Amino acid sequence: MNDFPGIEEIRDRNSQVYEILFRDHYHPLVRFAEGMIFDPQLAEDLVQSLFIHLWENADNINIKSSLKAYLFMAVRNRCLNSLKEVKIRDRNELLYLEGLLNSDSNEELDPQMLDKLNNSLTKLPEKMVEIVKLKYLENRKLRDIALQLNISENTVKTQLLRSKHKLRKLLQVAPMLMVLIKELSKFS
């Protein structure tokens, strides 16, 4: 049932067959992983670790369907595990940041975290920062924000959407804001 006749040869450590498998499946697997995790470097790392695992543990791997299906399922599982780790880390960092923002004491502030937050916010237009702070730091409703700033609810939504796009670019240097971006995504 295997679509790749060399699985037994991989178990026998035939490096030429392994190289063919790698060459034929590496790029499609990386593209598949990128579609799940939106991080090209991490996608490559996950796929490379899968191929290393396959080489080192070929004797213990039981493939019940095709090798191609096994590889894609294994990459999918690695992506899901990676997303779980990122979600937990980002959630903890966001909670920490919220605590920092709500704190009156500067003694507890982690300078690195505070710098990342301030740098991200200073790159947004002033009105946009105000709307983001009202929505996510003060948990204000869209209608309340619109009334306070004397603008329409649609303008608030538009500004939140634009902030999402701008913050997404900044996330490359501030991954802890991923949870905030996920919240902003509700408006797209």
Side-chain angles (χ1 to χ4, degrees):
M1 176 128 199
N2 287 324
D3 58 337
F4 183 76
I7 188 65
E8 291 303 322
E9 292 186 47
I10 291 174
R11 286 188 176 119
D12 293 337
R13 304 289 189 250
N14 183 332
S15 61
Q16 291 176 334
V17 172
Y18 181 78
E19 286 177 30
I20 292 169
L21 176 69
F22 184 86
R23 187 179 61 237
D24 289 350
H25 294 286
Y26 177 78
H27 291 291
L29 290 169
V30 169
R31 283 192 304 274
F32 176 71
E34 283 179 22
M36 290 186 70
I37 58 176
F38 304 105
D39 182 340
Q41 185 59 52
L42 181 57
E44 286 188 27
D45 292 346
L46 292 173
V47 173
Q48 288 171 5
S49 72
L50 170 63
F51 277 101
I52 291 168
H53 176 79
L54 181 65
W55 181 257
E56 291 176 348
N57 299 291
D59 293 334
N60 302 325
I61 295 175
N62 184 15
I63 299 174
K64 296 180 180 175
S65 62
S66 71
L67 180 58
K68 182 178 180 179
Y70 170 82
L71 292 172
F72 276 91
M73 186 61 70
V75 167
R76 177 186 159 274
N77 291 339
R78 286 170 186 261
C79 289
L80 292 174
N81 288 337
S82 176
L83 289 170
K84 284 180 195 174
E85 291 171 14
V86 168
K87 182 179 178 181
I88 291 168
R89 186 180 67 239
D90 285 349
R91 180 70 180 149
N92 289 339
E93 288 178 349
L94 182 63
L95 290 173
Y96 176 72
L97 281 174
E98 287 175 354
L100 292 178
L101 292 170
N102 293 327
S103 172
D104 292 333
S105 169
N106 287 340
E107 294 176 36
E108 301 173 34
L109 300 180
D110 176 353
Q112 195 173 29
M113 290 277 235
L114 189 58
D115 285 345
K116 285 181 181 181
L117 179 62
N118 286 330
N119 286 337
S120 296
L121 291 176
T122 59
K123 294 178 182 174
L124 298 178
E126 185 178 324
K127 202 65 149 174
M128 190 179 287
V129 171
E130 185 177 7
I131 292 170
V132 168
K133 285 182 177 181
L134 288 170
K135 175 67 179 152
Y136 295 104
L137 300 180
E138 296 181 21
N139 293 318
R140 304 279 300 276
K141 293 182 180 181
L142 297 176
R143 184 179 51 180
D144 295 338
I145 296 169
L147 288 172
Q148 179 178 337
L149 300 177
N150 199 25
I151 57 177
S152 73
E153 282 186 54
N154 282 337
T155 301
V156 173
K157 289 179 185 179
T158 300
Q159 288 296 306
L160 289 171
L161 179 63
R162 288 181 181 160
S163 70
K164 175 190 78 165
H165 294 296
K166 290 177 185 255
L167 286 172
R168 186 174 279 157
K169 290 179 184 176
L170 298 172
L171 283 177
Q172 295 171 357
V173 294
M176 65 202 154
L177 296 176
M178 274 301 286
V179 174
L180 175 61
I181 293 302
K182 289 176 188 170
E183 286 296 317
L184 293 173
S185 295
K186 292 178 182 176
F187 298 103
S188 46

